Amino acid sequence: MSALFQPYQLKSVTLRNRIAVPPMCQYSAIDGVAGDWHLTHYAALGRGGAGLVIVEATAVSAEGRITPGDLGIWNDAQAAALAQVAAAIKAGGAVPGIQLAHAGRKAGSNRPWEGDDQMAADDPRTWQAKAPSALAHGANWPRTPLEMSVDDIAQVQCDFAAAAVRALAAGFEWMELHFAHGYLAQTFLSPYANRRGDDYGGSYANRSRFMIETLAAVRAVWPDHLPLTVRLGVTEFNGHDEAELLEAIALATRFRQDGLDFLDASIGFTVVGASVPWQQTGFMLPLAERIGRASGLPMAASWGLGEPELAQRAVARGQIALVMVARAHLANPHWSFHAARKLGAAEPAAALPPPYRYWLERYTAGD
Ligand SMILES: Cc1cc2nc3c(=O)[nH]c(=O)nc-3n(C[C@H](O)[C@H](O)[C@H](O)COP(=O)(O)O)c2cc1C
């Protein structure tokens, strides 16, 4: 059996293979509550064959949503709808995960297909964003956020812990904290977004304090036998890659000491105009590999890994433990089946439920 299709165990959870669907916002919730769209979307991904399906960035508070369509988990109605989503993923044979998030200074935005920018300050649908410092992201996010007080910080950390408690009760078995992509946690870490003069700004130790405390708050309520993971923006690709990578290694090592089980290496996205090497196939893999080897954490990565041979090679070489395949799963929720066929697996439809498996084992069109 190819490396990509080996089961993966982390704590008490076993994934049927090394393929994960990372969080992908659907921006389709009403008042943060998952609806039919989410149920059908996640049910399809759950039965598609991946080992792990992580539900999109789910806001820990109303102000922490990116857009009015984001999922939330700050009240019981939201948690009840998410319990159905978790059950649908599990019924398909995948492990249900969830990403908890706070948008920080990118809050109050339009959906990507409605502008992919921040709403005007006088738009009645928007709200005031909060961030470590009163610095706008720039480009399509020009509004200046309010600088958070120390009480605001403590409140957000309580919100993360309360959200984790609700996520556990809703049936999620894999927790991912969103510490990437220019949202709240990443902006605390970034010297470009954080100019605070108190214990949460300045030195790297201070800038990482928000993440370390938030992780501890969730660790205290999330059970030890279930995976607790982070998606971290490990570099900005703005010319300081090596220095940022060394800092990410130090932070990952600290996270591990504090009880983190797994890290997904992603991009900072706090700097407008960074030079992300989009054309370089598998560009996140060497970074993830270095962080994993130095910190001892099992790793994942995404960004352009949806070619089965590439995904297979990354896992076989031990660069990453799990491959996160996002957009290729929107193109084909049965991407795992497609990959298994392309890699010549003996029973490529094995992970699919019987009503699909029976037929697809006998269907060779498109080979
Ligand atoms: C529609 C869409 C929504 C996304 N939403 C999230 C999100 O909620 N949280 C997150 O960490 N990343 C999000 N991402 C990034 C993906 O998880 C993934 O890292 C990225 O698409 C690169 O992987 P890919 O090349 O396989 O698509 C999103 C990407 C897409 C395309």
Side-chain angles (χ1 to χ4, degrees):
M1 204 196 300
S2 79
L4 196 56
F5 291 94
Q6 294 287 344
Y8 180 66
Q9 187 179 351
L10 188 61
K11 296 289 188 71
S12 67
V13 166
T14 303
L15 313 183
R16 59 188 162 190
N17 56 41
R18 306 305 187 94
I19 300 164
V21 184
M24 279 186 283
C25 283
Q26 298 299 295
Y27 308 108
S28 301
I30 296 172
D31 296 331
V33 180
D36 288 349
W37 174 264
H38 302 88
L39 210 49
T40 53
H41 167 71
Y42 286 111
L45 291 170
R47 74 168 85 94
L52 170 68
V53 176
I54 305 179
V55 167
E56 69 203 69
T58 300
V60 299
S61 61
E63 72 174 23
R65 292 168 300 163
I66 309 166
T67 78
D70 287 26
L71 286 180
I73 187 161
W74 66 85
N75 67 40
D76 292 343
Q78 294 161 345
L82 282 166
Q84 289 185 286
V85 170
I89 293 171
K90 201 163 167 133
V95 167
I98 188 166
Q99 185 187 53
L100 297 185
H102 189 296
R105 66 184 182 176
K106 285 184 172 174
S109 298
N110 284 305
R111 294 171 174 85
W113 55 89
E114 290 173 350
D116 201 17
D117 56 1
Q118 210 160 25
M119 293 177 191
D122 60 357
D123 190 317
R125 298 167 305 154
T126 198
W127 58 95
Q128 174 64 53
K130 288 187 187 161
S133 298
L135 290 169
H137 177 77
N140 286 355
W141 285 269
R143 280 168 47 200
T144 303
L146 277 185
E147 176 172 317
M148 290 169 76
S149 67
V150 171
D151 284 348
D152 291 334
I153 293 172
Q155 181 61 53
V156 171
Q157 291 169 338
C158 283
D159 291 343
F160 266 91
V165 169
R166 283 202 165 94
L168 179 68
F172 290 98
E173 297 171 1
W174 182 287
M175 170 58 62
E176 181 179 279
L177 304 180
H178 200 349
F179 287 179
H181 300 178
Y183 298 113
L184 184 68
Q186 186 85 55
T187 55
F188 268 97
L189 191 66
S190 165
Y192 312 106
N194 180 348
R195 299 278 162 77
R196 296 177 73 92
D198 64 2
D199 287 351
Y200 292 91
S203 65
Y204 192 76
N206 279 356
R207 283 183 281 112
S208 53
R209 191 178 308 280
F210 175 83
M211 289 184 177
I212 288 169
E213 289 180 356
T214 305
L215 175 63
V218 174
R219 181 71 283 173
V221 298
W222 186 253
D224 198 42
H225 68 95
L226 294 177
L228 174 54
T229 81
V230 157
R231 180 171 248 196
L232 179 67
V234 300
T235 185
E236 296 284 348
F237 292 111
N238 66 337
H240 304 284
D241 301 6
E242 182 61 19
E244 287 172 354
L245 193 67
L246 292 175
E247 289 179 341
I249 287 172
L251 188 55
T253 306
R254 170 69 197 262
F255 284 168
R256 181 168 176 238
Q257 287 160 0
D258 290 353
L260 189 77
D261 300 313
F262 186 98
L263 191 76
D264 178 358
S266 195
I267 305 171
F269 289 136
T270 57
V271 176
V272 173
S275 305
V276 181
W278 299 117
Q279 305 313 322
Q280 205 178 305
T281 306
F283 64 89
M284 287 306 297
L285 292 173
L287 305 179
E289 183 177 5
R290 267 185 73 187
I291 296 169
R293 292 203 193 289
S295 69
L297 281 172
M299 300 291 299
S302 64
W303 302 103
L305 304 181
E307 275 304 318
E309 292 81 1
L310 175 63
Q312 155 72 17
R313 216 168 36 242
V315 175
R317 286 180 178 167
Q319 288 183 289
I320 48 175
L322 293 183
V323 59
M324 297 271 174
V325 176
R327 286 163 294 180
H329 271 112
L330 296 184
N332 179 2
H334 301 101
W335 184 86
S336 303
F337 168 62
H338 157 71
R341 283 230 291 206
K342 212 151 175 221
L343 295 170
E347 293 180 326
L352 301 182
Y356 288 1
R357 185 166 66 226
Y358 177 83
W359 302 106
L360 293 180
E361 273 166 1
R362 291 156 181 80
Y363 178 71
T364 52
D367 280 350

